[in-house]
Amino acid sequence: MEGVSQEVALGRSFEKVNAILKKHAYNPSNLVGILQEVQEEYRYLPEEILTYIATALGVSPAYVYGVATFYAQFSLKPKGKNIIRVCDGTACHVKGSSAVLKYVREYLGLREGEETTPDLLFTVETVACIGACALAPAMMVNDDVYGLLDEEKVKEILERYEEGREGADGV
Amino acid sequence: MVFKDRVSLEAKVAELKKSMPKRKVLVCGGLGCLAKGAQRVFDLLVERLETEKLSWTVEKIEETPHHPVKTGCMGLCEAGPLVMIEPQGILYLRVKPEDVEEIIEETLKKGVIVERLVYQEEKNGRKELWPLMKDVPFYRKQVKVVLRNCGSIDPESLDEYLSRDGYLALAKVITEMSPDDVIGEITKSGLRGRGGGGFPTGRKWQFARVVKADKKYIICNGDEGDPGAFMDRSVMEGDPHSVVEGMAIAGYAIGAQEGYIYVRAEYPLAVRRLKKAIEEARAAGLLGQNILGTSFSFDIIIREGAGAFVCGEETALIASIEGKRGMPNPRPPYPANRGLWGKPTVINNVETLANVPAIILRGAEWFRSFGTLTSPGTKTFALAGKVKNTGLVEVPMGITIRELVFDIGGGIQNDRAFKAVQVGGPSGGCLTEKHLDLPIDYDSLCGAGAIMGSGGLIVLDEDTCIVEVARFFMNFTQNESCGKCVPCREGTKHMLNLLQKVVDGKASMEDVELLEKTAVVVKDASLCGLGKTAPNPVLTTLRYFRDEYVDHVLHRVCPAHVCQAMKEYFIDPEKCRSCGKCARVCPVSCISGRPKVPYVIDQNQCIKCGSCFEACPFDAIVISWRRKNHE
Ligand SMILES: Cc1cc2nc3c(=O)[nH]c(=O)nc-3n(C[C@H](O)[C@H](O)[C@H](O)COP(=O)(O)O)c2cc1C
Ligand code: FES
């Protein structure tokens, strides 16, 4: 599987990280951007890469770790292939976003405290406003926005992404 | 082409104005419409117009073909996908792919209006049709300054921006005005920061201008953290060049050669469009070295946020651009003196900057003709919540809340009763029915305990629990508190606990008092604006909806029927067949009974989980909301 081969590659080389670092001229003031690109590549920030980045930029690992944990966007745990962001902004909240979150979690069979499905296909997060307030309640799956959600619609949408599940297993 | 001087730019603008197709079909490409399938409508229009064109040339009906453009948000998101037809200005709502054929056949070919797609208003039992966009009630009271191009140009085309006098303000500034002239004009216009604080923009620029330094910076704040606002997003996505031009003018005024746009992580489309705008402006010689052959050089870099509300605060934003944890710093020193990398820096909001080119071109007097004496100009709002027409609006300052909610917003959904508007997001407050005639300007809102904020405006109806809304905002600020200062870090946590107790029906009146006291301390003692304003939702709701707190605390009643703890589950003895299913699923074993006798729920132990409700095969479990004893 794609995820596994990445993990394997990770142990051996930091080539991709090097390319990203180089693009940012090894400048510590680009740290946020560097971490964003690394996360895009690996879907999370593996600890050994954080240490590696610190050394390469000449700053302490604590500094890099501090930045990585400050921003909600960064994750130190592997994330799923599809990121579901259920909006819990004000407009969505007053229109019942808690129910949407419940439907999503139920559909994916997530247990309390769990955010990612064991097969690493979905990660669920809440965000405060995705700028689709007029369509509240809304959510994003990866970069796509879905609005005016109810139980049925949530199911329909997730089913669509789930079809990728078979494909991923088959490879 | 590269513009070498002002004359060549002006010539191009004049030429574009003439040659821009006047007949256009505009499909709203805002997020709301895209999510409702605007792309399909757009694709189909393009495809059908392609094929049709052939037959047209034969018949010679059209000289310039209709020209579909994907625009930014047109505002009336609720009724999307929206399609506008120019030059007539016809607006069609809820357009589906299957409507495309009829639009082409009837409207484009014959000029006949498709009535079923037109805005309808019920008045005294009579239906009124408003086919023209400018007559639709939602747009009637609006004035477009900031959103002048949003929804009517292709945001990904420099030419279209130029055809709307784009970059002429910049050209004017750098060829015939001194930096002091520019600051003078902006000061005279009375423009105040649209990012929330309302600080006079001219004064801010002046502070940075007088500081001597080898480098200065201008930062555009596109963080838009208010959870329920999307105005800045719409401007960045719908008219990115206006932000770029505004920044360049600001840069000229304060003596900066470099600018940063800080955009929220959740706005990938805004980032893409801004990037494109910057590249195109650079390629045309409108950014970069020696703009239009003058000695002024200016360029812009985009930085993406990474999901932290506090980074909208200016000192935190600077820390974030520097690659650090985005935590605020005490002011002074103000960024105008020591900002990004220790250099004088001006931070302005997206909307503030988008106003600038319009003010320069049309003059301070023109700008002052909108709005009030102390708050001139217009303000954009993201109208959302329980209102009929939701979407992006721009109104003159000083308009009343009533006009905004009822005339533009069309009133409350499902004809429920109006309860409150929440203005200013987590830093703002809830205003009530008695404020409906309050004019919306910086000072009036402040006086009522709310703030203008960035412009999120959420309408609440009788089915919204005010205490729960206060808890919602506190949960938000508590999560987003960066933890640097104690009052905010600890205070928000305690306030959240107390609010949770109220919502859970476990609070006493002493808790409410403590909540109020804590709120005042956090407001006074916090380091940055986040903590200083975090108590506002609590304080305003306590001020205007104290009764509702009392209902929750003393009577264990939630008048809006929202707070789960105020629900009660009963077993209808008539319907109960004593099967015992409910007792078996109850996680706290509070249901008891015997065969042939109806089962009973022990109200004192029930945790309102709803398991019995779902388990009962006979619909014998009844949910009722607690009511006040005397009722
Ligand atoms: C917690 C917090 C969040 C803020 N978020 C934003 C924001 O999202 N966008 C914004 O323009 N200003 C925001 N501000 C205000 C900025 O600090 C700053 O005052 C503003 O960007 C200045 O621009 P203006 O003068 O054009 O309004 C925020 C302030 C605080 C305290
Ligand atoms: S509140 Fe959900 S999209 Fe704005």
Side-chain angles (χ1 to χ4, degrees):
Chain A
M1 257 171 59
E2 193 192 332
V4 175
S5 63
Q6 273 180 2
E7 303 269 353
V8 174
L10 200 74
R12 295 209 202 103
S13 86
F14 289 95
E15 243 167 72
K16 282 177 185 153
V17 184
N18 279 332
I20 293 168
L21 285 165
K22 198 164 163 201
K23 194 174 132 199
H24 287 276
Y26 294 90
N27 186 347
S29 79
N30 292 334
L31 183 54
V32 174
I34 293 171
L35 294 180
Q36 276 167 337
E37 285 184 35
V38 169
Q39 175 154 311
E40 185 129 323
E41 191 63 49
Y42 297 99
R43 284 200 244 138
Y44 76 113
L45 298 173
E47 203 170 312
E48 56 274 30
I49 290 190
L50 291 184
T51 322
Y52 183 79
I53 292 173
T55 317
L57 297 182
V59 296
S60 71
Y63 181 86
V64 175
Y65 187 81
V67 171
T69 50
F70 182 82
Y71 296 97
Q73 197 189 19
F74 297 132
S75 168
L76 302 192
K77 281 189 283 185
K79 282 202 197 188
K81 180 163 164 229
N82 298 299
I83 312 281
I84 305 169
R85 298 192 176 90
V86 178
C87 178
D88 193 26
T90 320
C92 292
H93 184 78
V94 300
K95 289 222 176 149
S97 58
S98 350
V100 173
L101 183 63
K102 197 180 114 208
Y103 301 144
V104 172
R105 296 187 58 94
E106 274 174 10
Y107 184 85
L108 299 177
L110 290 173
R111 271 169 302 179
E112 195 146 326
E114 254 181 9
E115 280 162 8
T116 303
T117 52
D119 60 1
L120 284 187
L121 199 57
F122 290 103
T123 291
V124 185
E125 302 171 347
T126 53
V127 287
C129 193
I130 51 180
C133 318
L135 301 172
M139 71 176 184
M140 261 169 117
V141 184
N142 306 327
D143 278 350
D144 297 320
V145 175
Y146 300 95
L148 303 169
L149 299 173
D150 53 30
E151 184 162 11
E152 205 149 297
K153 228 166 150 189
V154 165
K155 219 178 115 207
E156 226 178 86
I157 293 162
L158 294 183
E159 259 165 15
R160 231 178 296 156
Y161 286 87
E162 212 174 23
E163 275 156 22
R165 191 186 287 250
E166 286 147 26
D169 282 349
V171 179
Chain B
M1 83 183 268
V2 185
F3 299 109
K4 298 222 158 43
D5 50 29
R6 183 175 171 183
V7 178
S8 63
L9 175 68
E10 283 173 345
K12 177 76 177 176
V13 169
E15 180 202 318
L16 282 169
K17 278 195 163 157
K18 266 199 230 121
S19 68
M20 271 293 150
K22 297 227 163 46
R23 294 156 167 276
K24 280 201 226 177
V25 183
L26 298 147
V27 180
C28 178
L31 203 66
C33 288
L34 284 181
K36 289 188 172 178
Q39 186 66 43
R40 287 265 299 122
V41 172
F42 175 74
D43 290 343
L44 207 61
L45 269 167
V46 175
E47 190 192 309
R48 294 288 300 122
L49 289 178
E50 279 290 307
T51 14
E52 288 287 323
K53 202 167 79 180
L54 295 168
S55 62
W56 286 355
T57 30
V58 181
E59 290 170 29
K60 282 199 173 123
I61 298 172
E62 298 302 319
E63 275 159 20
T64 31
H66 286 280
H67 171 67
V69 174
K70 219 159 76 183
T71 69
C73 185
M74 292 187 194
L76 193 56
C77 309
E78 186 268 332
L82 303 179
V83 172
M84 192 164 106
I85 292 154
E86 279 188 342
Q88 302 95 318
I90 299 169
L91 180 72
Y92 287 144
L93 316 171
R94 300 186 183 87
V95 178
K96 295 192 195 60
E98 46 285 18
D99 298 323
V100 166
E101 203 54 47
E102 198 172 339
I103 293 178
I104 291 175
E105 288 301 321
E106 295 298 316
T107 313
L108 302 195
K109 286 194 181 168
K110 301 188 204 136
V112 177
I113 282 162
V114 183
E115 287 195 358
R116 101 191 116 78
L117 299 174
V118 159
Y119 188 96
Q120 304 188 356
E121 198 180 15
E122 286 268 329
K123 236 183 191 167
N124 312 327
R126 270 192 37 233
K127 244 196 224 154
E128 281 189 76
L129 296 182
W130 302 109
L132 298 187
M133 182 162 180
K134 66 177 173 38
D135 299 328
V136 170
F138 182 77
Y139 298 103
R140 229 181 274 153
K141 289 206 171 172
Q142 297 197 44
V143 177
K144 307 271 182 181
V145 176
V146 175
L147 303 176
R148 58 194 178 276
N149 298 327
C150 277
S152 57
I153 65 167
D154 178 355
E156 297 191 15
S157 154
L158 174 63
D159 277 357
E160 293 214 8
Y161 182 68
L162 290 178
S163 76
R164 301 292 180 94
D165 294 331
Y167 290 101
L168 289 188
L170 176 63
K172 177 175 171 187
V173 160
I174 59 180
T175 54
E176 64 181 56
M177 292 170 85
S178 71
D180 287 324
D181 292 342
V182 178
I183 292 176
E185 191 69 16
I186 297 296
T187 307
K188 223 166 69 192
S189 77
L191 176 64
R192 296 172 69 171
R194 301 295 195 241
F199 193 84
T201 305
R203 277 232 319 269
K204 194 186 264 190
W205 290 9
Q206 181 65 20
F207 288 148
R209 160 142 182 82
V210 296
V211 182
K212 289 209 164 39
D214 58 336
K215 270 202 129 174
K216 295 181 188 176
Y217 296 98
I218 165 96
I219 298 177
C220 170
N221 188 344
D223 199 42
E224 191 150 68
D226 174 354
F230 55 94
M231 303 78 46
D232 293 347
R233 158 182 217 147
S234 304
V235 175
M236 290 187 283
E237 288 178 1
D239 194 17
H241 282 288
S242 70
V243 181
V244 171
E245 187 179 3
M247 283 180 77
I249 293 170
Y252 178 77
I254 67 163
Q257 302 200 342
E258 219 175 285
Y260 283 85
I261 307 182
Y262 189 89
V263 189
R264 254 184 112 201
E266 287 84 353
Y267 290 0
L269 184 61
V271 171
R272 216 181 64 217
R273 291 202 167 149
L274 283 166
K275 270 195 184 140
K276 180 136 198 253
I278 292 169
E279 274 160 26
E280 285 196 339
R282 210 180 276 145
L286 297 165
L287 279 182
Q289 292 295 316
N290 302 97
I291 297 172
L292 296 177
T294 65
S295 60
F296 177 59
S297 303
F298 187 78
D299 215 327
I300 296 175
I301 297 164
I302 296 182
R303 281 293 167 96
E304 284 176 62
F309 172 63
V310 72
C311 286
E313 197 280 338
E314 48 191 29
T315 58
L317 192 154
I318 288 173
S320 182
I321 292 185
E322 291 174 349
K324 301 182 189 146
R325 288 165 72 94
M327 297 216 269
N329 285 303
R331 298 175 305 178
Y334 284 90
N337 287 308
R338 277 226 314 270
L340 190 58
W341 290 302
K343 305 294 180 191
T345 304
V346 161
I347 301 184
N348 275 134
N349 166 263
V350 171
E351 189 180 337
T352 314
L353 289 166
N355 268 304
V356 167
I359 294 172
I360 295 291
L361 270 191
R362 311 187 66 168
E365 282 313 312
W366 165 82
F367 188 74
R368 294 199 76 99
S369 71
F370 308 109
T372 66
L373 196 64
T374 55
S375 306
T378 60
K379 178 78 193 86
T380 58
F381 286 97
L383 195 57
K386 307 284 186 75
V387 70
K388 277 191 191 134
N389 306 327
T390 53
L392 186 69
V393 303
E394 180 172 357
V395 290
M397 294 267 195
I399 194 173
T400 64
I401 296 179
R402 186 187 303 279
E403 286 172 286
L404 200 51
V405 173
F406 289 92
D407 295 350
I408 295 176
I412 309 297
Q413 273 176 359
N414 306 323
D415 293 311
R416 306 293 291 165
F418 169 88
K419 182 165 186 174
V421 275
Q422 210 287 339
V423 202
S427 315
C430 284
L431 300 178
T432 68
E433 195 155 10
K434 80 170 199 246
H435 298 106
L436 275 178
D437 292 308
L438 193 75
I440 300 183
D441 60 61
Y442 291 98
D443 312 297
S444 309
L445 286 181
C446 239
I451 62 160
M452 178 78 81
S454 50
L457 206 142
I458 314 266
V459 179
L460 310 177
D461 68 1
E462 56 189 325
D463 297 333
T464 321
C465 172
I466 283 290
V467 185
E468 210 283 328
V469 167
R471 188 210 62 86
F472 165 79
F473 280 118
M474 195 51 69
N475 186 41
F476 177 83
T477 32
Q478 195 272 322
N479 265 324
E480 294 294 340
S481 170
C482 76
K484 185 167 179 171
C485 77
V486 180
C488 174
R489 182 182 66 226
E490 297 302 321
T492 52
K493 209 173 268 171
H494 284 286
M495 286 192 285
L496 178 61
N497 281 344
L498 291 167
L499 285 163
Q500 191 68 49
K501 267 173 98 176
V502 178
V503 166
D504 288 344
K506 291 182 181 150
S508 63
M509 283 317 283
E510 283 82 60
D511 288 327
V512 176
E513 260 167 52
L514 183 61
L515 176 66
E516 199 159 17
K517 271 195 203 144
T518 315
V520 173
V521 173
V522 173
K523 193 179 168 99
D524 289 343
S526 291
L527 169 65
C528 85
L530 190 145
K532 282 192 210 306
T533 58
N536 283 351
V538 173
L539 289 170
T540 51
T541 50
L542 274 171
R543 187 158 143 199
Y544 301 125
F545 294 94
R546 203 173 192 95
D547 287 354
E548 242 176 81
Y549 280 84
V550 173
D551 284 344
H552 281 75
V553 172
L554 290 186
H555 309 289
R556 302 283 187 258
V557 165
C558 175
H561 296 178
V562 170
C563 300
Q564 296 298 315
M566 321 283 161
K567 248 186 194 172
E568 281 177 342
Y569 287 83
F570 289 104
I571 297 174
D572 182 347
E574 307 270 291
K575 286 192 181 160
C576 179
R577 304 274 196 83
S578 315
C579 71
K581 272 209 172 111
C582 52
R584 283 197 291 279
V585 297
C586 178
V588 291
S589 308
C590 73
I591 307 180
S592 54
R594 289 178 280 122
K596 302 230 168 94
V597 182
Y599 276 55
V600 184
I601 301 176
D602 179 352
Q603 295 302 331
N604 291 326
Q605 286 185 49
C606 173
I607 57 165
K608 341 253 175 196
C609 68
S611 302
C612 53
F613 183 79
E614 274 159 32
C616 178
F618 310 109
D619 291 332
I621 313 270
V622 189
I623 303 174
S624 75
W625 289 93
R626 284 180 58 102
R627 288 202 265 169
K628 277 194 240 181
N629 292 336
H630 54 84
E631 273 175 6

